[in-house]
mmCIF file of all heavy atoms in Angstrom:
data_model
loop_
_atom_site.group_PDB
_atom_site.id
_atom_site.type_symbol
_atom_site.label_atom_id
_atom_site.label_comp_id
_atom_site.label_asym_id
_atom_site.label_seq_id
_atom_site.Cartn_x
_atom_site.Cartn_y
_atom_site.Cartn_z
ATOM 1 N N ASP A 1 -10.645 -10.301 -13.548
ATOM 2 C CA ASP A 1 -9.618 -9.264 -13.455
ATOM 3 C C ASP A 1 -10.214 -7.894 -13.147
ATOM 4 O O ASP A 1 -9.636 -7.116 -12.381
ATOM 5 C CB ASP A 1 -8.812 -9.193 -14.759
ATOM 6 C CG ASP A 1 -7.837 -10.346 -14.892
ATOM 7 O OD1 ASP A 1 -7.728 -11.133 -13.931
ATOM 8 O OD2 ASP A 1 -7.188 -10.461 -15.946
ATOM 9 N N SER A 2 -11.358 -7.567 -13.711
ATOM 10 C CA SER A 2 -11.970 -6.265 -13.489
ATOM 11 C C SER A 2 -12.384 -6.087 -12.027
ATOM 12 O O SER A 2 -12.128 -5.038 -11.413
ATOM 13 C CB SER A 2 -13.180 -6.079 -14.409
ATOM 14 O OG SER A 2 -13.804 -4.838 -14.175
ATOM 15 N N THR A 3 -13.009 -7.112 -11.462
ATOM 16 C CA THR A 3 -13.421 -7.056 -10.057
ATOM 17 C C THR A 3 -12.206 -6.974 -9.145
ATOM 18 O O THR A 3 -12.188 -6.207 -8.171
ATOM 19 C CB THR A 3 -14.259 -8.290 -9.696
ATOM 20 O OG1 THR A 3 -15.401 -8.350 -10.554
ATOM 21 C CG2 THR A 3 -14.707 -8.245 -8.243
ATOM 22 N N PHE A 4 -11.185 -7.764 -9.469
ATOM 23 C CA PHE A 4 -9.973 -7.756 -8.659
ATOM 24 C C PHE A 4 -9.309 -6.381 -8.701
ATOM 25 O O PHE A 4 -8.869 -5.860 -7.670
ATOM 26 C CB PHE A 4 -9.009 -8.832 -9.155
ATOM 27 C CG PHE A 4 -7.697 -8.865 -8.416
ATOM 28 C CD1 PHE A 4 -7.645 -9.286 -7.093
ATOM 29 C CD2 PHE A 4 -6.522 -8.469 -9.038
ATOM 30 C CE1 PHE A 4 -6.437 -9.312 -6.399
ATOM 31 C CE2 PHE A 4 -5.316 -8.496 -8.360
ATOM 32 C CZ PHE A 4 -5.276 -8.915 -7.040
ATOM 33 N N ARG A 5 -9.214 -5.785 -9.886
ATOM 34 C CA ARG A 5 -8.594 -4.459 -10.016
ATOM 35 C C ARG A 5 -9.325 -3.427 -9.151
ATOM 36 O O ARG A 5 -8.697 -2.627 -8.456
ATOM 37 C CB ARG A 5 -8.577 -4.027 -11.476
ATOM 38 C CG ARG A 5 -7.879 -2.683 -11.712
ATOM 39 C CD ARG A 5 -7.917 -2.286 -13.174
ATOM 40 N NE ARG A 5 -7.118 -3.174 -14.003
ATOM 41 C CZ ARG A 5 -5.803 -3.043 -14.177
ATOM 42 N NH1 ARG A 5 -5.145 -2.071 -13.551
ATOM 43 N NH2 ARG A 5 -5.165 -3.883 -14.977
ATOM 44 N N GLN A 6 -10.646 -3.441 -9.199
ATOM 45 C CA GLN A 6 -11.414 -2.481 -8.411
ATOM 46 C C GLN A 6 -11.226 -2.723 -6.920
ATOM 47 O O GLN A 6 -11.130 -1.771 -6.124
ATOM 48 C CB GLN A 6 -12.893 -2.556 -8.775
ATOM 49 C CG GLN A 6 -13.730 -1.438 -8.166
ATOM 50 C CD GLN A 6 -13.306 -0.070 -8.665
ATOM 51 O OE1 GLN A 6 -13.185 0.161 -9.866
ATOM 52 N NE2 GLN A 6 -13.054 0.852 -7.739
ATOM 53 N N HIS A 7 -11.159 -3.992 -6.515
ATOM 54 C CA HIS A 7 -10.955 -4.329 -5.107
ATOM 55 C C HIS A 7 -9.608 -3.802 -4.629
ATOM 56 O O HIS A 7 -9.513 -3.207 -3.551
ATOM 57 C CB HIS A 7 -11.041 -5.845 -4.926
ATOM 58 C CG HIS A 7 -10.865 -6.291 -3.504
ATOM 59 N ND1 HIS A 7 -11.855 -6.156 -2.555
ATOM 60 C CD2 HIS A 7 -9.801 -6.864 -2.873
ATOM 61 C CE1 HIS A 7 -11.417 -6.627 -1.402
ATOM 62 N NE2 HIS A 7 -10.174 -7.065 -1.566
ATOM 63 N N VAL A 8 -8.554 -4.015 -5.420
ATOM 64 C CA VAL A 8 -7.227 -3.528 -5.051
ATOM 65 C C VAL A 8 -7.228 -2.007 -4.981
ATOM 66 O O VAL A 8 -6.709 -1.407 -4.030
ATOM 67 C CB VAL A 8 -6.167 -4.014 -6.070
ATOM 68 C CG1 VAL A 8 -4.817 -3.337 -5.817
ATOM 69 C CG2 VAL A 8 -6.018 -5.530 -6.002
ATOM 70 N N ARG A 9 -7.831 -1.370 -5.989
ATOM 71 C CA ARG A 9 -7.860 0.097 -6.036
ATOM 72 C C ARG A 9 -8.543 0.671 -4.806
ATOM 73 O O ARG A 9 -8.046 1.608 -4.173
ATOM 74 C CB ARG A 9 -8.574 0.547 -7.304
ATOM 75 C CG ARG A 9 -8.627 2.052 -7.500
ATOM 76 C CD ARG A 9 -9.318 2.373 -8.813
ATOM 77 N NE ARG A 9 -8.599 1.778 -9.947
ATOM 78 C CZ ARG A 9 -9.090 1.690 -11.172
ATOM 79 N NH1 ARG A 9 -10.318 2.155 -11.430
ATOM 80 N NH2 ARG A 9 -8.375 1.147 -12.146
ATOM 81 N N ASP A 10 -9.697 0.104 -4.439
ATOM 82 C CA ASP A 10 -10.439 0.624 -3.291
ATOM 83 C C ASP A 10 -9.657 0.425 -2.000
ATOM 84 O O ASP A 10 -9.623 1.321 -1.134
ATOM 85 C CB ASP A 10 -11.801 -0.075 -3.185
ATOM 86 C CG ASP A 10 -12.739 0.302 -4.325
ATOM 87 O OD1 ASP A 10 -12.484 1.305 -5.001
ATOM 88 O OD2 ASP A 10 -13.719 -0.448 -4.542
ATOM 89 N N TRP A 11 -9.044 -0.745 -1.848
ATOM 90 C CA TRP A 11 -8.311 -1.008 -0.599
ATOM 91 C C TRP A 11 -7.094 -0.096 -0.474
ATOM 92 O O TRP A 11 -6.839 0.462 0.604
ATOM 93 C CB TRP A 11 -7.877 -2.483 -0.539
ATOM 94 C CG TRP A 11 -7.321 -2.832 0.814
ATOM 95 C CD1 TRP A 11 -8.008 -3.274 1.904
ATOM 96 C CD2 TRP A 11 -5.938 -2.743 1.219
ATOM 97 N NE1 TRP A 11 -7.158 -3.475 2.957
ATOM 98 C CE2 TRP A 11 -5.886 -3.158 2.573
ATOM 99 C CE3 TRP A 11 -4.764 -2.363 0.579
ATOM 100 C CZ2 TRP A 11 -4.690 -3.184 3.294
ATOM 101 C CZ3 TRP A 11 -3.573 -2.384 1.295
ATOM 102 C CH2 TRP A 11 -3.541 -2.797 2.635
ATOM 103 N N VAL A 12 -6.364 0.069 -1.549
ATOM 104 C CA VAL A 12 -5.171 0.924 -1.502
ATOM 105 C C VAL A 12 -5.561 2.360 -1.191
ATOM 106 O O VAL A 12 -4.924 3.027 -0.355
ATOM 107 C CB VAL A 12 -4.392 0.837 -2.834
ATOM 108 C CG1 VAL A 12 -3.308 1.903 -2.896
ATOM 109 C CG2 VAL A 12 -3.771 -0.547 -2.988
ATOM 110 N N ARG A 13 -6.599 2.867 -1.831
ATOM 111 C CA ARG A 13 -7.033 4.240 -1.571
ATOM 112 C C ARG A 13 -7.475 4.420 -0.124
ATOM 113 O O ARG A 13 -7.310 5.503 0.455
ATOM 114 C CB ARG A 13 -8.173 4.607 -2.511
ATOM 115 C CG ARG A 13 -7.742 4.818 -3.964
ATOM 116 C CD ARG A 13 -8.929 5.128 -4.857
ATOM 117 N NE ARG A 13 -8.510 5.409 -6.228
ATOM 118 C CZ ARG A 13 -9.344 5.648 -7.228
ATOM 119 N NH1 ARG A 13 -10.659 5.641 -7.003
ATOM 120 N NH2 ARG A 13 -8.890 5.898 -8.438
ATOM 121 N N GLY A 14 -8.033 3.388 0.458
ATOM 122 C CA GLY A 14 -8.528 3.493 1.822
ATOM 123 C C GLY A 14 -7.489 3.272 2.894
ATOM 124 O O GLY A 14 -7.723 3.623 4.053
ATOM 125 N N HIS A 15 -6.349 2.684 2.537
ATOM 126 C CA HIS A 15 -5.384 2.296 3.562
ATOM 127 C C HIS A 15 -3.984 2.880 3.387
ATOM 128 O O HIS A 15 -3.225 2.934 4.353
ATOM 129 C CB HIS A 15 -5.266 0.767 3.615
ATOM 130 C CG HIS A 15 -6.502 0.085 4.124
ATOM 131 N ND1 HIS A 15 -7.577 -0.203 3.307
ATOM 132 C CD2 HIS A 15 -6.828 -0.369 5.359
ATOM 133 C CE1 HIS A 15 -8.517 -0.810 4.025
ATOM 134 N NE2 HIS A 15 -8.088 -0.917 5.259
ATOM 135 N N TYR A 16 -3.625 3.302 2.185
ATOM 136 C CA TYR A 16 -2.247 3.763 1.994
ATOM 137 C C TYR A 16 -2.017 5.093 2.714
ATOM 138 O O TYR A 16 -2.834 6.024 2.560
ATOM 139 C CB TYR A 16 -1.926 3.917 0.505
ATOM 140 C CG TYR A 16 -0.470 4.233 0.271
ATOM 141 C CD1 TYR A 16 0.491 3.240 0.416
ATOM 142 C CD2 TYR A 16 -0.057 5.514 -0.060
ATOM 143 C CE1 TYR A 16 1.835 3.520 0.234
ATOM 144 C CE2 TYR A 16 1.283 5.807 -0.248
ATOM 145 C CZ TYR A 16 2.228 4.802 -0.099
ATOM 146 O OH TYR A 16 3.560 5.086 -0.264
ATOM 147 N N PRO A 17 -0.932 5.228 3.478
ATOM 148 C CA PRO A 17 -0.653 6.481 4.196
ATOM 149 C C PRO A 17 -0.467 7.644 3.214
ATOM 150 O O PRO A 17 0.407 7.595 2.348
ATOM 151 C CB PRO A 17 0.643 6.175 4.951
ATOM 152 C CG PRO A 17 0.685 4.680 5.073
ATOM 153 C CD PRO A 17 0.050 4.173 3.805
ATOM 154 N N GLU A 18 -1.294 8.660 3.359
ATOM 155 C CA GLU A 18 -1.293 9.771 2.413
ATOM 156 C C GLU A 18 0.066 10.466 2.348
ATOM 157 O O GLU A 18 0.506 10.905 1.280
ATOM 158 C CB GLU A 18 -2.379 10.785 2.805
ATOM 159 C CG GLU A 18 -2.554 11.933 1.831
ATOM 160 C CD GLU A 18 -3.051 11.501 0.462
ATOM 161 O OE1 GLU A 18 -3.700 10.431 0.382
ATOM 162 O OE2 GLU A 18 -2.793 12.213 -0.527
ATOM 163 N N GLN A 19 0.754 10.558 3.487
ATOM 164 C CA GLN A 19 2.024 11.276 3.520
ATOM 165 C C GLN A 19 3.140 10.546 2.778
ATOM 166 O O GLN A 19 4.214 11.122 2.539
ATOM 167 C CB GLN A 19 2.470 11.528 4.973
ATOM 168 C CG GLN A 19 2.923 10.288 5.737
ATOM 169 C CD GLN A 19 1.780 9.513 6.379
ATOM 170 O OE1 GLN A 19 0.607 9.746 6.037
ATOM 171 N NE2 GLN A 19 2.100 8.628 7.299
ATOM 172 N N LEU A 20 2.895 9.305 2.359
ATOM 173 C CA LEU A 20 3.925 8.532 1.661
ATOM 174 C C LEU A 20 3.684 8.457 0.158
ATOM 175 O O LEU A 20 4.438 7.791 -0.547
ATOM 176 C CB LEU A 20 3.979 7.098 2.221
ATOM 177 C CG LEU A 20 4.346 6.947 3.696
ATOM 178 C CD1 LEU A 20 4.433 5.472 4.071
ATOM 179 C CD2 LEU A 20 5.654 7.648 4.015
ATOM 180 N N ARG A 21 2.682 9.163 -0.336
ATOM 181 C CA ARG A 21 2.396 9.086 -1.774
ATOM 182 C C ARG A 21 3.497 9.785 -2.584
ATOM 183 O O ARG A 21 3.952 10.863 -2.231
ATOM 184 C CB ARG A 21 1.044 9.719 -2.103
ATOM 185 C CG ARG A 21 -0.149 8.908 -1.654
ATOM 186 C CD ARG A 21 -1.456 9.501 -2.152
ATOM 187 N NE ARG A 21 -1.593 9.360 -3.604
ATOM 188 C CZ ARG A 21 -2.639 9.801 -4.289
ATOM 189 N NH1 ARG A 21 -3.626 10.436 -3.653
ATOM 190 N NH2 ARG A 21 -2.704 9.633 -5.600
ATOM 191 N N ASN A 22 3.899 9.115 -3.680
ATOM 192 C CA ASN A 22 4.894 9.666 -4.607
ATOM 193 C C ASN A 22 6.124 10.218 -3.892
ATOM 194 O O ASN A 22 6.486 11.386 -4.038
ATOM 195 C CB ASN A 22 4.262 10.767 -5.470
ATOM 196 C CG ASN A 22 3.131 10.262 -6.330
ATOM 197 O OD1 ASN A 22 3.280 9.286 -7.053
ATOM 198 N ND2 ASN A 22 1.975 10.918 -6.245
ATOM 199 N N PRO A 23 6.809 9.392 -3.104
ATOM 200 C CA PRO A 23 7.994 9.891 -2.394
ATOM 201 C C PRO A 23 9.107 10.256 -3.367
ATOM 202 O O PRO A 23 9.235 9.668 -4.442
ATOM 203 C CB PRO A 23 8.400 8.701 -1.516
ATOM 204 C CG PRO A 23 7.889 7.500 -2.245
ATOM 205 C CD PRO A 23 6.610 7.955 -2.889
ATOM 206 N N ARG A 24 9.921 11.224 -2.992
ATOM 207 C CA ARG A 24 11.006 11.679 -3.853
ATOM 208 C C ARG A 24 12.111 10.639 -3.958
ATOM 209 O O ARG A 24 12.811 10.563 -4.968
ATOM 210 C CB ARG A 24 11.596 12.978 -3.311
ATOM 211 C CG ARG A 24 10.681 14.180 -3.441
ATOM 212 C CD ARG A 24 11.327 15.397 -2.837
ATOM 213 N NE ARG A 24 12.648 15.632 -3.414
ATOM 214 C CZ ARG A 24 13.618 16.296 -2.810
ATOM 215 N NH1 ARG A 24 13.445 16.756 -1.595
ATOM 216 N NH2 ARG A 24 14.780 16.478 -3.413
ATOM 217 N N LYS A 25 12.306 9.854 -2.893
ATOM 218 C CA LYS A 25 13.362 8.857 -2.878
ATOM 219 C C LYS A 25 12.784 7.532 -2.397
ATOM 220 O O LYS A 25 11.705 7.480 -1.812
ATOM 221 C CB LYS A 25 14.497 9.282 -1.935
ATOM 222 C CG LYS A 25 15.160 10.603 -2.292
ATOM 223 C CD LYS A 25 16.212 10.973 -1.274
ATOM 224 C CE LYS A 25 16.868 12.306 -1.600
ATOM 225 N NZ LYS A 25 17.874 12.699 -0.590
ATOM 226 N N ARG A 26 13.518 6.467 -2.661
ATOM 227 C CA ARG A 26 13.115 5.168 -2.129
ATOM 228 C C ARG A 26 13.146 5.225 -0.609
ATOM 229 O O ARG A 26 14.130 5.681 -0.013
ATOM 230 C CB ARG A 26 14.065 4.083 -2.639
ATOM 231 C CG ARG A 26 13.665 2.688 -2.183
ATOM 232 C CD ARG A 26 14.458 1.642 -2.926
ATOM 233 N NE ARG A 26 14.113 0.304 -2.488
ATOM 234 C CZ ARG A 26 14.540 -0.804 -3.085
ATOM 235 N NH1 ARG A 26 15.327 -0.722 -4.133
ATOM 236 N NH2 ARG A 26 14.175 -1.991 -2.643
ATOM 237 N N LEU A 27 12.074 4.774 0.024
ATOM 238 C CA LEU A 27 11.973 4.861 1.466
ATOM 239 C C LEU A 27 12.843 3.827 2.154
ATOM 240 O O LEU A 27 13.018 2.712 1.668
ATOM 241 C CB LEU A 27 10.519 4.663 1.903
ATOM 242 C CG LEU A 27 9.492 5.654 1.357
ATOM 243 C CD1 LEU A 27 8.122 5.351 1.958
ATOM 244 C CD2 LEU A 27 9.892 7.088 1.641
ATOM 245 N N GLY A 28 13.380 4.211 3.322
ATOM 246 C CA GLY A 28 14.112 3.272 4.145
ATOM 247 C C GLY A 28 13.171 2.400 4.948
ATOM 248 O O GLY A 28 11.938 2.536 4.882
ATOM 249 N N THR A 29 13.740 1.515 5.739
ATOM 250 C CA THR A 29 12.919 0.561 6.490
ATOM 251 C C THR A 29 12.039 1.253 7.522
ATOM 252 O O THR A 29 10.890 0.847 7.746
ATOM 253 C CB THR A 29 13.809 -0.479 7.182
ATOM 254 O OG1 THR A 29 14.808 0.196 7.967
ATOM 255 C CG2 THR A 29 14.508 -1.357 6.159
ATOM 256 N N ASP A 30 12.541 2.308 8.166
ATOM 257 C CA ASP A 30 11.732 3.006 9.175
ATOM 258 C C ASP A 30 10.549 3.704 8.528
ATOM 259 O O ASP A 30 9.413 3.608 9.005
ATOM 260 C CB ASP A 30 12.598 4.017 9.934
ATOM 261 C CG ASP A 30 13.612 3.349 10.853
ATOM 262 O OD1 ASP A 30 13.426 2.154 11.170
ATOM 263 O OD2 ASP A 30 14.584 4.011 11.235
ATOM 264 N N SER A 31 10.797 4.416 7.422
ATOM 265 C CA SER A 31 9.732 5.187 6.772
ATOM 266 C C SER A 31 8.667 4.296 6.160
ATOM 267 O O SER A 31 7.492 4.652 6.114
ATOM 268 C CB SER A 31 10.330 6.093 5.694
ATOM 269 O OG SER A 31 11.289 6.973 6.237
ATOM 270 N N SER A 32 9.069 3.125 5.677
ATOM 271 C CA SER A 32 8.127 2.240 4.995
ATOM 272 C C SER A 32 7.497 1.198 5.913
ATOM 273 O O SER A 32 6.681 0.389 5.472
ATOM 274 C CB SER A 32 8.836 1.506 3.847
ATOM 275 O OG SER A 32 9.893 0.691 4.340
ATOM 276 N N HIS A 33 7.864 1.215 7.200
ATOM 277 C CA HIS A 33 7.429 0.164 8.130
ATOM 278 C C HIS A 33 5.904 0.075 8.209
ATOM 279 O O HIS A 33 5.334 -1.025 8.192
ATOM 280 C CB HIS A 33 8.018 0.416 9.519
ATOM 281 C CG HIS A 33 7.598 -0.606 10.538
ATOM 282 N ND1 HIS A 33 8.128 -1.878 10.589
ATOM 283 C CD2 HIS A 33 6.667 -0.552 11.535
ATOM 284 C CE1 HIS A 33 7.575 -2.558 11.575
ATOM 285 N NE2 HIS A 33 6.685 -1.785 12.154
ATOM 286 N N GLU A 34 5.242 1.234 8.299
ATOM 287 C CA GLU A 34 3.778 1.224 8.439
ATOM 288 C C GLU A 34 3.118 0.551 7.244
ATOM 289 O O GLU A 34 2.206 -0.280 7.404
ATOM 290 C CB GLU A 34 3.269 2.661 8.588
ATOM 291 C CG GLU A 34 1.756 2.755 8.728
ATOM 292 C CD GLU A 34 1.266 4.191 8.793
ATOM 293 O OE1 GLU A 34 2.115 5.117 8.766
ATOM 294 O OE2 GLU A 34 0.037 4.393 8.867
ATOM 295 N N TRP A 35 3.548 0.896 6.029
ATOM 296 C CA TRP A 35 2.960 0.326 4.820
ATOM 297 C C TRP A 35 3.290 -1.162 4.724
ATOM 298 O O TRP A 35 2.436 -1.969 4.338
ATOM 299 C CB TRP A 35 3.466 1.089 3.612
ATOM 300 C CG TRP A 35 2.981 0.622 2.269
ATOM 301 C CD1 TRP A 35 3.745 0.399 1.164
ATOM 302 C CD2 TRP A 35 1.628 0.365 1.853
ATOM 303 N NE1 TRP A 35 2.975 0.013 0.097
ATOM 304 C CE2 TRP A 35 1.664 -0.017 0.497
ATOM 305 C CE3 TRP A 35 0.399 0.419 2.511
ATOM 306 C CZ2 TRP A 35 0.511 -0.345 -0.227
ATOM 307 C CZ3 TRP A 35 -0.750 0.085 1.794
ATOM 308 C CH2 TRP A 35 -0.689 -0.296 0.451
ATOM 309 N N TYR A 36 4.497 -1.542 5.092
ATOM 310 C CA TYR A 36 4.907 -2.953 5.073
ATOM 311 C C TYR A 36 3.984 -3.773 5.983
ATOM 312 O O TYR A 36 3.497 -4.839 5.593
ATOM 313 C CB TYR A 36 6.355 -3.060 5.542
ATOM 314 C CG TYR A 36 7.058 -4.356 5.198
ATOM 315 C CD1 TYR A 36 8.011 -4.395 4.185
ATOM 316 C CD2 TYR A 36 6.809 -5.537 5.894
ATOM 317 C CE1 TYR A 36 8.679 -5.568 3.864
ATOM 318 C CE2 TYR A 36 7.465 -6.718 5.571
ATOM 319 C CZ TYR A 36 8.397 -6.727 4.558
ATOM 320 O OH TYR A 36 9.056 -7.904 4.244
ATOM 321 N N GLN A 37 3.741 -3.263 7.178
ATOM 322 C CA GLN A 37 2.919 -4.001 8.133
ATOM 323 C C GLN A 37 1.450 -4.024 7.728
ATOM 324 O O GLN A 37 0.750 -5.021 7.967
ATOM 325 C CB GLN A 37 3.086 -3.398 9.534
ATOM 326 C CG GLN A 37 4.478 -3.576 10.113
ATOM 327 C CD GLN A 37 4.908 -5.028 10.185
ATOM 328 O OE1 GLN A 37 4.121 -5.911 10.546
ATOM 329 N NE2 GLN A 37 6.153 -5.301 9.803
ATOM 330 N N LEU A 38 0.960 -2.957 7.097
ATOM 331 C CA LEU A 38 -0.418 -2.971 6.597
ATOM 332 C C LEU A 38 -0.603 -4.075 5.560
ATOM 333 O O LEU A 38 -1.582 -4.832 5.609
ATOM 334 C CB LEU A 38 -0.748 -1.612 5.978
ATOM 335 C CG LEU A 38 -1.165 -0.480 6.919
ATOM 336 C CD1 LEU A 38 -1.223 0.850 6.164
ATOM 337 C CD2 LEU A 38 -2.516 -0.782 7.561
ATOM 338 N N LEU A 39 0.344 -4.161 4.633
ATOM 339 C CA LEU A 39 0.261 -5.203 3.607
ATOM 340 C C LEU A 39 0.431 -6.594 4.220
ATOM 341 O O LEU A 39 -0.214 -7.550 3.790
ATOM 342 C CB LEU A 39 1.330 -4.962 2.541
ATOM 343 C CG LEU A 39 1.092 -3.768 1.610
ATOM 344 C CD1 LEU A 39 2.316 -3.529 0.735
ATOM 345 C CD2 LEU A 39 -0.142 -4.001 0.737
ATOM 346 N N SER A 40 1.288 -6.685 5.221
ATOM 347 C CA SER A 40 1.505 -7.979 5.869
ATOM 348 C C SER A 40 0.227 -8.465 6.541
ATOM 349 O O SER A 40 -0.171 -9.626 6.392
ATOM 350 C CB SER A 40 2.638 -7.857 6.898
ATOM 351 O OG SER A 40 2.862 -9.093 7.539
ATOM 352 N N ARG A 41 -0.435 -7.580 7.266
ATOM 353 C CA ARG A 41 -1.681 -7.971 7.937
ATOM 354 C C ARG A 41 -2.779 -8.309 6.934
ATOM 355 O O ARG A 41 -3.620 -9.174 7.191
ATOM 356 C CB ARG A 41 -2.138 -6.845 8.881
ATOM 357 C CG ARG A 41 -1.250 -6.669 10.102
ATOM 358 C CD ARG A 41 -1.909 -5.767 11.120
ATOM 359 N NE ARG A 41 -2.018 -4.386 10.646
ATOM 360 C CZ ARG A 41 -1.086 -3.458 10.830
ATOM 361 N NH1 ARG A 41 0.048 -3.759 11.458
ATOM 362 N NH2 ARG A 41 -1.283 -2.227 10.389
ATOM 363 N N GLN A 42 -2.786 -7.650 5.800
ATOM 364 C CA GLN A 42 -3.767 -7.921 4.758
ATOM 365 C C GLN A 42 -3.454 -9.196 3.993
ATOM 366 O O GLN A 42 -4.312 -9.748 3.300
ATOM 367 C CB GLN A 42 -3.829 -6.716 3.793
ATOM 368 C CG GLN A 42 -4.789 -6.849 2.638
ATOM 369 C CD GLN A 42 -6.255 -6.799 3.058
ATOM 370 O OE1 GLN A 42 -6.566 -6.622 4.236
ATOM 371 N NE2 GLN A 42 -7.157 -6.935 2.105
ATOM 372 N N GLY A 43 -2.208 -9.684 4.128
ATOM 373 C CA GLY A 43 -1.785 -10.867 3.368
ATOM 374 C C GLY A 43 -1.408 -10.550 1.941
ATOM 375 O O GLY A 43 -1.420 -11.431 1.081
ATOM 376 N N TRP A 44 -1.023 -9.284 1.675
ATOM 377 C CA TRP A 44 -0.753 -8.832 0.312
ATOM 378 C C TRP A 44 0.725 -8.589 0.039
ATOM 379 O O TRP A 44 1.067 -8.033 -1.008
ATOM 380 C CB TRP A 44 -1.522 -7.540 0.039
ATOM 381 C CG TRP A 44 -2.979 -7.754 -0.222
ATOM 382 C CD1 TRP A 44 -3.721 -8.857 0.041
ATOM 383 C CD2 TRP A 44 -3.867 -6.788 -0.815
ATOM 384 N NE1 TRP A 44 -5.034 -8.659 -0.341
ATOM 385 C CE2 TRP A 44 -5.152 -7.401 -0.869
ATOM 386 C CE3 TRP A 44 -3.725 -5.498 -1.283
ATOM 387 C CZ2 TRP A 44 -6.270 -6.752 -1.382
ATOM 388 C CZ3 TRP A 44 -4.838 -4.844 -1.797
ATOM 389 C CH2 TRP A 44 -6.096 -5.463 -1.846
ATOM 390 N N LEU A 45 1.599 -8.968 0.929
ATOM 391 C CA LEU A 45 3.019 -8.696 0.715
ATOM 392 C C LEU A 45 3.622 -9.517 -0.403
ATOM 393 O O LEU A 45 4.531 -9.061 -1.098
ATOM 394 C CB LEU A 45 3.806 -8.971 2.013
ATOM 395 C CG LEU A 45 4.020 -7.816 2.964
ATOM 396 C CD1 LEU A 45 4.746 -8.302 4.204
ATOM 397 C CD2 LEU A 45 4.784 -6.674 2.307
ATOM 398 N N ALA A 46 3.151 -10.726 -0.573
ATOM 399 C CA ALA A 46 3.776 -11.654 -1.518
ATOM 400 C C ALA A 46 2.732 -12.197 -2.490
ATOM 401 O O ALA A 46 2.289 -13.345 -2.368
ATOM 402 C CB ALA A 46 4.448 -12.799 -0.761
ATOM 403 N N PRO A 47 2.321 -11.395 -3.477
ATOM 404 C CA PRO A 47 1.243 -11.823 -4.384
ATOM 405 C C PRO A 47 1.530 -13.119 -5.124
ATOM 406 O O PRO A 47 0.603 -13.896 -5.384
ATOM 407 C CB PRO A 47 1.130 -10.640 -5.368
ATOM 408 C CG PRO A 47 1.686 -9.473 -4.645
ATOM 409 C CD PRO A 47 2.777 -10.028 -3.776
#
């Protein structure tokens, strides 16, 4: 679990779009598309 947590933390910090951090409202499909596709390509959409 410790190794997995660090792996997830490092990947998210390196790939999550900075402009989408802590959004004020739930994002729509257009705004969240980039993050959705990043997770899809990584194989992380459906843990």
Side-chain angles (χ1 to χ4, degrees):
D1 285 355
S2 178
T3 302
F4 178 69
R5 183 181 293 276
Q6 189 63 51
H7 181 76
V8 171
R9 182 178 300 167
D10 291 343
W11 189 88
V12 170
R13 288 178 177 177
H15 292 84
Y16 187 74
E18 185 65 25
Q19 71 275 14
L20 298 183
R21 288 187 69 180
N22 298 308
R24 290 178 54 204
K25 300 177 181 178
R26 183 169 179 172
L27 300 183
T29 53
D30 290 342
S31 302
S32 62
H33 179 76
E34 180 183 358
W35 179 227
Y36 197 106
Q37 293 303 319
L38 278 170
L39 288 172
S40 180
R41 290 192 292 271
Q42 179 70 2
W44 283 16
L45 268 177

